[in-house]
Each structure stands twice: as structure tokens, then as C-alpha cells.
Amino acid sequence: MTPADYSDAMQLVTSHGDYRQDICNLLHRMSLHDDTAPTLAVRHSMNAISYLHLQQPSRSFQHHMLAVSALRNSLSDLSDSKARDQAIAASMLLSIYEAVSRKGTPKDWSVYFKGCLMIFESAQQWNAFYQGDGGTLLDWVLYYNVFYKLSLTHWLHRTSRQDIGAHRGTLLAQAATHPRRHTIQSTLGCSLELLGFLSEAIDLLRDRQDPMYLSEEHQDAIDSLQRRIEHIDQRLCSGMSNEVWHGPGSTKHYTLVACIFKMAVIIYLDRVVRGSPRSSPVSRDAAQEAFKALQDLAVCERPFPMFILSLQADEESDRLLMLRALQRAKKRRALSNLDITEQMMQRVWSQQDLHNDEGGDALAIINAIFSASQTPPCLA
């Protein structure tokens, strides 16, 4: 397989706008260390995704099985930090493989991600993950951890064990103290601090029949979190082009994607957690800013903000803007979960159109859409 084949396929694990290619470069290095089980697990996982991208499902599945076997063999001894990091990376790649594979019975991507978390939490020294390759790996896993939590929270078929696992805060707590938490990570599209705020918003979710829902204490917590999100300082990372204002890796690209992410988290907090109607000034103002950014950006590859923004797309022009942005994104990333994202957006609009101008209860709509899937949808 050529380096170009790898590069195109590995866009799946980051994005077309990841100018620095931190994760892709790290995975390449991990897959070429030697021929030990941890290295082979990463190498075959990358091959599995790459052959999916090349539309060779049989070869993809072959490498998938080899990756699973190598990963199992590597789990017997993770005392070496290099082997542990490779096992984490292989688990992440297998999780992504299951999230986008369309062949056969749908597999649960969250199973591999749960294994990834268990390996991560077995580390004795968390500080080792804050620098160099360890920091890059931590950022990537933190990003998926938030959306793992989101998926299982809204997927009503979850088991009690899954529920407990999704809300374990051991890893997510690192977002609050991460030395680079204010930086817009090139791999993620936003800052780790904003991801931490989204995690806090998920924790504030209450069933509408819960006596604590919109109690004074609950409302105060929501209002406090909203203020922190509104005043967040997302700083540009190093390595993007300062010469070109528009395009992948440019200042404008990073700034606008991070803005759309921020507005989506505000809408999620207001519509889903607080339970506000679609006419809420908070959500309307956030959506207006997000649509303006999307109009300027013309493309967005990030499933979560696009899905949440669909809650506020009541005008046909806004919906067309979103669909066109997704179509452009899918041309850049043919192998992705953007098809599922678009289907979920269409279901949001169908559900909201059945209600009056207020759009219905966003929590009930999202729960129903997530739960219609055989496995937890992945919006990472």
C-alpha cells in the first residue's frame, strides 16, 4: 500500500483540515517500530481502514482480524509505555473501523473504545501523557471519550454497565487541568476545554420527570456553565498557515470550525439540557452565529456540531446550507460517518416538522433518533 493510500484513508481519524497531521504522523511511526504484537496491531488496523477506503472489503476484513489477534496478544504485557500507547492506538482504530464499516451485522464501536479507556486508565503516571506523542494520543482519546459518553447517554438500549462506563470521569477530568486545554487542537477542531464543557453539559442532563430538573440548583448550574462557554478563550495552535486566510489548515478554517463547535455546545446546553424551545433567544443567537460561520466556511466535517445545529435549522435555506456543506465534506472524506450524520439530521427535521414552531422536546427527539440505531451512533 502506498503512502498516499494511507494518507487519504487516515483522514478519517482526523480531518481534511488537520494541517499538522499530528495523529496521522504518530500512527505511521507506531506502525513501523518493529514486528512485535503491538506494532502489528496498529499496522493491521491502519490497513483495515485503508482497504475500506479503497473499497476492498475482503482485504479490509482480513487485516481487521489480524489486528484483533495482534491486539489480544499485546494485552498480555503492557508494562512498556510504547506497547501500551500502541495498544491504545490500535483500539482507537478498531473502534473507528467498526463505526464506519458497512459490511455485515453492525458492530458496536463502543466495545473497542471501552477497551481503549481501560488500557489508558491502567497507566500509572498521567503526566507522561501531557507531552510529545503521549500528549497527541491523550488529546485524541479525550475527544472520542466525550462522544462515547454522549452516544451512550442518548442511546436508550445501553446496559447498566455501559452507563457506568460512559460516565467514569477518570480520563475526562484531565481536560480541566490539561496544560493545552485552551488551544484549538488541529485534530479535534476545538479546544479540550470546550470538550470538557460539553462533558459537563451531558452530566447536567435530567429526565423531564426528574424532581431535580430545572430546580433552582439545576438551573444555577446550567446558567453557570453557559457563562463559562460563552466566555471561553479558544486559542489558535501553532503550525497552521498564517499566510493563507482561507482553506484547510488556515487561520480562518480553525477559527470558524471552533466557533461552530462552541455554538453547538451552547445549543445543546439550552435545547437539550435546559429544555428550551426552538424560539429560545439563546439558541437562536447561537444558531445565527453558527450559520454565518458555516456560510463563510462552506464545508464542515465535524458530525457533532452539524447534528446539533440541525435542531435550529427551521428555514429551508439553513437546511440547504447544511446539506451542501456536508456534501462537500463527503467528497473530501468518502469513508466517514457523515452519511449517518446526514440521516440523523434529516430525522431531526422530520420530527420537528411534526410539531409546532417550537420544534418539540430536543431531548426526546435526540433520544429517539439515537435509539433507533442498533448500536450507539458515533458523532466524533
Side-chain angles (χ1 to χ4, degrees), residues 72-90:
R72 285 174 179 162
N73 291 335
S74 67
L75 294 178
S76 59
D77 182 13
L78 295 178
S79 56
D80 176 64
S81 61
K82 179 174 71 70
R84 183 196 61 225
D85 290 355
Q86 289 173 309
I88 291 169

Side-chain angles (χ1 to χ4, degrees), residues 20-319:
R20 300 195 316 180
Q21 295 290 297
D22 292 339
I23 287 293
C24 292
N25 291 334
L26 174 59
L27 292 174
H28 276 295
R29 293 196 301 274
M30 284 184 165
S31 68
L32 298 173
H33 274 304
D34 45 44
D35 289 323
T36 59
T39 299
L40 290 174
V42 177
R43 189 183 307 163
H44 287 303
S45 298
M46 290 178 67
N47 283 338
I49 291 176
S50 297
Y51 279 118
L52 268 185
H53 175 74
L54 295 172
Q55 298 183 352
Q56 298 184 36
S58 297
R59 297 193 73 177
S60 173
F61 183 72
Q62 179 185 10
H63 282 283
H64 168 262
M65 297 305 295
L66 289 170
V68 172
S69 176
L71 179 58
R72 285 174 179 162
N73 291 335
S74 67
L75 294 178
S76 59
D77 182 13
L78 295 178
S79 56
D80 176 64
S81 61
K82 179 174 71 70
R84 183 196 61 225
D85 290 355
Q86 289 173 309
I88 291 169
S91 297
M92 285 290 295
L93 289 168
L94 287 170
S95 179
I96 292 170
Y97 174 92
E98 296 295 1
V100 300
S101 178
R102 299 288 181 270
K103 185 176 176 61
T105 305
K107 302 295 192 302
D108 190 345
W109 66 276
S110 66
V111 172
Y112 285 108
F113 187 76
K114 180 183 177 182
C116 169
L117 289 182
M118 293 175 66
I119 299 169
F120 218 113
E121 292 176 358
S122 69
Q124 298 299 312
Q125 298 294 326
W126 282 95
N127 290 339
F129 285 113
Y130 285 146
Q131 304 298 327
D133 289 347
T136 301
L137 197 60
L138 175 61
D139 296 347
W140 190 34
V141 177
L142 273 171
Y143 178 76
Y144 270 84
N145 196 176
V146 174
F147 295 107
Y148 169 75
K149 177 178 180 177
L150 178 85
S151 292
L152 287 179
T153 296
H154 290 287
W155 191 64
L156 302 182
H157 306 302
R158 64 185 180 275
T159 64
S160 57
R161 190 180 231 175
Q162 286 176 315
D163 198 29
I164 294 170
H167 289 84
R168 287 170 65 181
T170 308
L171 180 59
L172 289 172
Q174 306 305 308
T177 58
H178 198 293
R180 299 188 308 280
R181 63 187 176 277
H182 302 298
T183 304
I184 300 170
Q185 302 294 323
S186 67
T187 303
L188 317 182
C190 66
S191 67
L192 289 172
E193 185 176 33
L194 184 60
L195 288 176
F197 288 161
L198 175 56
S199 178
E200 288 185 46
I202 297 169
D203 289 335
L204 287 173
L205 269 176
R206 298 289 183 273
D207 187 85
R208 302 305 189 228
Q209 281 71 50
D210 190 323
M212 286 299 294
Y213 171 62
L214 291 188
S215 63
E216 184 176 355
E217 179 183 352
H218 189 225
Q219 187 65 59
D220 287 346
I222 294 173
D223 293 344
S224 174
L225 180 55
Q226 180 181 322
R227 286 191 294 271
R228 285 188 288 152
I229 298 170
E230 289 172 343
H231 293 96
I232 192 173
D233 178 22
Q234 296 194 92
R235 305 167 190 170
L236 291 169
C237 65
S238 61
M240 87 288 290
S241 171
N242 289 317
E243 302 296 326
V244 181
W245 173 235
H246 206 305
S250 68
T251 301
K252 184 172 187 177
H253 183 94
Y254 280 114
T255 303
L256 293 179
V257 171
C259 171
I260 294 171
F261 243 115
K262 174 183 172 180
M263 295 306 114
V265 175
I266 290 174
I267 293 169
Y268 181 84
L269 181 66
D270 187 46
R271 289 290 314 276
V272 183
V273 179
R274 185 183 279 128
S276 299
R278 189 162 55 185
S279 60
S280 163
V282 171
S283 290
R284 281 205 174 275
D285 290 348
Q288 184 177 7
E289 188 167 347
F291 284 131
K292 181 180 178 181
L294 186 60
Q295 181 78 50
D296 209 0
L297 191 62
V299 60
C300 185
E301 303 168 320
R302 307 292 178 172
F304 168 76
M306 292 295 282
F307 175 69
I308 295 301
L309 189 56
S310 69
L311 290 168
Q312 291 300 117
D314 49 347
E315 299 291 337
E316 192 64 28
S317 58
D318 295 333
R319 296 180 181 183

